[in-house]
């Protein structure tokens, strides 16, 4: 292996990184970012890696969720709070079913850049560069705004810093106290079937807490009952920015990408000899690898060996995203090859990116049923292969948007135009996200019992 340096990725072919006309301005912005504070700290990243090692061992479950693409337009404290509320609600449903900790990771505070299937977009006969994410260019269909603009990078950095500041306050400042579970249910959800189901769960938790209180265990004495850890993540796509955010941890002398706790390599940029893999090889963060239908088993093994030569637990999360009708075709052989090589990984399931279709009304959408089907099939395949389905990776929001069809609200293709706000892919709304958590809670329960049996049999 050649020596890794902060910018050795520049010697490798890279895809989906834009060319900036004004290189001087780009370098000035990157220099400024290089001298700004880290967004996350190395110690936090290590904590997440340890928690992911527990997931790899079948002792915890990973929930990763948030926007497909964060945007400047949707930046509002209420949106951050509501996304956080849904993550807390989903994780409570899962913890309650599985009786195991749920590791919470947001696609948030930095999830801006997008790889696109086509480099250009044509509208009314005019062809312009595609929208690449708010930190690169504008979504408006104008030649001027579609040009990559380096100033956007700094705006995205600042938005990420404010978002993280609020997330830290919400996680640590009392909002996440189990005695405040009733505050997590969103107003528009309260009358829905999921809202009512969640209310039943609230009552059960209140009973358990008052029993524990009578035994002398309460949130005044136990921080764990009143705070949560919420980590951040995004796709490590725009490498010049990731490079500027990568710093040496003074306690270990190792490099950490301080733009997020967890970064992943997308399905389009995971070439073993490409720049994205080269960059991620040298940072200490936990790394996700999206696994789509074109991934060959030999390639996957190669990727794991390049990115995790010491086979460290918690370092690699494999995020399968095949589509509901392709899971049985592709997932078993990947699981078998990972088992055969004895590689330590977390297996997570992204039931969004393989289930995108175009509606008759012209919107990109995802039928909720297909999302649920993919998750259920992934659980079934892991069980059949004797491996542990350890996580769920979803695109969701706390808002009452109409982007994915179906669910208890029965969103139809016609309804999509009502509140279609996403800047990229369609997200589950709060009701659909909570419904998904309830619908898979049985699977999660069986899954955790099965993993506990395996742990017992081994020890
Ligand atoms: C994403 O997670 O937004 C994404 C683009 O996914 P994938 O790389 O799996 O297509
Ligand atoms: Co997406």
């Amino acid at each position: 292996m050649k020596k890794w340096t902060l910018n050795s990725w520049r010697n490798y072919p890279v895809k989906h990184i834009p060319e900036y006309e004004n290189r001087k301005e780009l370098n000035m912005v990157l220099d400024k970012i290089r001298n700004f504070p880290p967004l996350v700290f190395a110690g936090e990243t290590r904590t997440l890696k340890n928690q992911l090692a527990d997931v790899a061992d079948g002792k915890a479950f990973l929930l990763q969720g948030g926007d497909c693409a964060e945007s400047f337009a949707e930046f509002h404290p209420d949106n951050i709070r509501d996304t956080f509320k849904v993550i807390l609600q989903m994780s409570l449903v899962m913890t309650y079913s599985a009786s195991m900790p749920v590791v919470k990771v947001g696609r948030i505070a930095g999830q801006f850049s997008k790889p696109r299937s086509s480099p250009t977009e044509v509208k009314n006969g005019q062809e312009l560069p595609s929208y690449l994410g708010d930190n690169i260019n504008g979504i408006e269909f104008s030649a001027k705004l579609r040009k990559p603009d380096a100033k956007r990078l700094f705006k995205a950095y600042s938005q990420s810093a404010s978002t993280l500041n609020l997330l830290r306050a919400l996680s640590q400042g009392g909002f996440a106290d189990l005695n405040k579970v009733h505050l997590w249910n969103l107003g528009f959800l309260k009358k829905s079937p999921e809202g009512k189901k969640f209310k039943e769960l609230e009552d059960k938790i209140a009973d358990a807490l008052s029993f524990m209180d009578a035994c002398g265990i309460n949130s005044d004495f136990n921080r764990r009952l009143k705070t949560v850890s919420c980590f951040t993540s995004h796709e490590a796509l725009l490498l010049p920015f990731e490079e500027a955010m990568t710093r040496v941890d003074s306690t270990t002398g190792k490099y950490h990408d301080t733009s997020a706790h967890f970064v992943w390599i997308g399905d389009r940029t995971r070439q073993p000899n490409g720049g994205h893999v080269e960059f991620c090889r040298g940072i200490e963060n936990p790394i996700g690898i999206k696994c789509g239908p074109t991934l060959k088993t030999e390639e996957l093994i190669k990727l794991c060996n390049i990115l995790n030569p010491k086979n460290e637990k918690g370092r690699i999360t494999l995020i399968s995203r095949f589509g509901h009708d392709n899971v049985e075709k592709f997932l078993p052989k990947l699981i078998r090859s990972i088992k055969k090589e004895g590689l330590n990984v977390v297996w997570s399931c992204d039931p969004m990116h393989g289930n995108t279709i175009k509606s008759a009304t012209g919107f990109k959408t995802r039928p909720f049923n297909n999302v649920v089907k993919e998750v259920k099939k992934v659980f079934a395949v892991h069980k059949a292969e004797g491996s542990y389905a350890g996580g769920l990776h979803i695109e969701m929001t706390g808002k009452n948007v109409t982007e994915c069809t179906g669910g208890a609200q029965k969103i139809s293709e016609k309804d999509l135009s009502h509140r279609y706000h996403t800047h990229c892919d369609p997200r589950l709304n709060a009701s659909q996200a909570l419904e998904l958590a309830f619908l898979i809670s049985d699977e999660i329960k069986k899954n955790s019992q099965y993993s506990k049996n395996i742990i017992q049999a081994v020890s």
Side-chain angles (χ1 to χ4, degrees):
M1 266 277 148
K2 287 205 180 129
K3 185 175 163 9
W4 183 90
T5 61
L6 247 187
N7 60 7
S8 53
W9 64 269
R10 292 177 188 270
N11 302 324
Y12 294 77
V14 281
K15 294 189 176 170
H16 298 279
I17 297 189
E19 277 297 329
Y20 289 80
E21 252 175 37
N22 191 342
R23 301 282 298 218
K24 202 169 149 216
E25 187 184 40
L26 173 68
N27 290 333
M28 263 167 53
V29 173
L30 290 173
D31 279 344
K32 181 163 149 182
I33 289 174
R34 226 181 300 282
N35 289 304
F36 264 64
L39 290 171
V40 306
F41 303 99
E44 297 171 334
T45 300
R46 273 192 291 277
T47 304
L48 173 61
K49 212 193 251 179
N50 290 336
Q51 294 189 8
L52 290 172
D54 284 343
V55 179
D57 278 339
K59 295 178 188 154
F61 192 80
L62 164 68
L63 172 63
Q64 189 169 14
D67 285 324
C68 176
E70 288 175 272
S71 66
F72 299 156
E74 280 201 319
F75 179 47
H76 192 283
D78 290 357
N79 291 345
I80 301 165
R81 181 202 57 203
D82 292 348
T83 296
F84 182 66
K85 276 185 180 183
V86 179
I87 292 179
L88 286 180
Q89 286 189 293
M90 291 182 78
S91 105
L92 192 71
V93 171
M94 292 171 169
T95 308
Y96 197 84
S97 323
S99 302
M100 62 162 60
V102 171
V103 181
K104 294 169 270 301
V105 181
R107 283 177 66 115
I108 201 165
Q111 172 50 27
F112 287 96
S113 314
K114 301 307 301 172
R116 303 310 303 267
S117 28
S118 165
T120 59
E121 185 184 349
V122 180
K123 243 188 211 171
N124 305 325
Q126 191 187 7
E127 186 173 13
L128 290 180
S130 293
Y131 168 64
L132 301 172
D134 268 12
N135 63 346
I136 299 174
N137 60 4
I139 197 164
E140 300 82 353
F141 197 73
S142 107
K144 184 165 176 270
L145 291 167
R146 285 289 169 97
K147 277 199 182 142
D149 174 359
K151 287 188 284 302
R152 288 176 165 270
L153 275 178
F154 192 74
K155 191 167 173 186
Y157 166 88
S158 310
Q159 180 168 322
S160 304
S162 323
T163 302
L164 245 165
N165 189 43
L166 183 57
L167 282 177
R168 289 186 199 282
L170 290 169
S171 330
Q172 304 291 319
F175 184 80
D177 191 324
L178 275 178
N179 288 294
K180 303 258 170 69
V181 168
H182 55 284
L183 294 180
W184 304 350
N185 219 351
L186 289 153
F188 73 90
L189 270 185
K190 281 193 178 136
K191 292 211 173 78
S192 69
E194 297 69 56
K196 286 185 187 147
K197 260 182 154 169
F198 191 75
K199 173 79 181 61
E200 286 167 26
L201 187 58
E202 274 175 41
D203 294 343
K204 286 185 194 159
I205 295 200
D207 280 351
L209 288 176
S210 65
F211 169 75
M212 279 158 60
D213 192 27
C215 304
I217 304 165
N218 59 46
S219 61
D220 291 341
F221 303 107
N222 195 326
R223 271 184 62 77
R224 283 197 155 199
L225 295 176
K226 68 174 167 197
T227 62
V228 294
S229 299
C230 185
F231 300 98
T232 61
S233 69
H234 61 255
E235 178 173 349
L237 184 66
L238 192 60
L239 296 181
F241 173 77
E242 302 302 331
E243 180 191 316
M245 289 302 297
T246 298
R247 321 277 161 88
V248 174
D249 168 28
S250 55
T251 61
T252 59
K254 294 187 171 161
Y255 283 97
H256 282 250
D257 184 345
T258 66
S259 69
H261 301 104
F262 177 108
V263 291
W264 74 86
I265 306 174
D267 200 44
R268 297 168 178 83
T269 48
R270 53 166 166 66
Q271 301 73 32
N273 58 354
H276 290 86
V277 172
E278 170 62 14
F279 174 76
C280 289
R281 170 169 86 85
I283 57 173
E284 287 294 303
N285 307 53
I287 305 286
I289 306 172
K290 289 289 199 93
C291 306
T294 57
L295 179 62
K296 304 264 175 312
T297 51
E298 318 79 73
E299 236 175 354
L300 175 63
I301 302 306
K302 213 172 181 180
L303 282 172
C304 290
N305 288 329
I306 297 172
L307 292 163
N308 193 18
K310 296 197 184 124
N311 202 14
E312 188 189 357
K313 271 187 194 165
R315 161 77 168 169
I316 300 286
T317 298
L318 301 178
I319 308 165
S320 66
R321 32 89 78 226
F322 295 117
H324 69 285
D325 47 2
N326 266 330
V327 174
E328 286 108 338
K329 184 168 169 206
F330 295 106
L331 186 57
K333 52 187 178 197
L334 295 188
I335 297 177
R336 281 175 213 157
S337 65
I338 289 285
K339 276 189 112 180
K340 187 163 157 249
E341 299 292 322
L343 298 174
N344 293 317
V345 300
V346 166
W347 279 107
S348 180
C349 158
D350 163 0
M352 313 301 295
H353 288 89
N355 291 310
T356 317
I357 56 165
K358 196 152 192 171
S359 74
T361 45
F363 288 95
K364 248 206 285 182
T365 191
R366 288 160 172 158
F368 180 72
N369 275 347
N370 293 349
V371 169
V372 178
K373 255 189 224 161
E374 178 152 359
V375 184
K376 291 193 171 182
K377 282 191 180 171
V378 166
F379 275 119
V381 165
H382 277 286
K383 184 154 187 249
E385 297 296 328
S387 98
Y388 175 64
L392 180 66
H393 179 121
I394 53 168
E395 291 185 338
M396 43 78 61
T397 166
K399 289 171 60 179
N400 192 15
V401 297
T402 52
E403 297 171 5
C404 294
T405 52
Q409 294 170 307
K410 298 196 172 58
I411 296 175
S412 70
E413 292 204 345
K414 277 203 204 102
D415 297 328
L416 293 174
S417 62
H418 296 170
R419 290 178 301 281
Y420 196 93
H421 299 311
T422 183
H423 271 52
C424 194
D425 292 336
R427 303 161 292 182
L428 299 177
N429 65 23
S431 160
Q432 291 167 325
L434 192 55
E435 188 179 350
L436 175 65
F438 279 118
L439 284 175
I440 63 170
S441 61
D442 252 6
E443 266 77 13
I444 290 195
K445 189 173 184 163
K446 282 184 246 154
N447 189 42
S448 71
Q449 279 161 352
Y450 159 75
S451 106
K452 280 172 193 159
N453 290 342
I454 296 184
I455 294 170
Q456 246 172 10
V458 175
S459 54

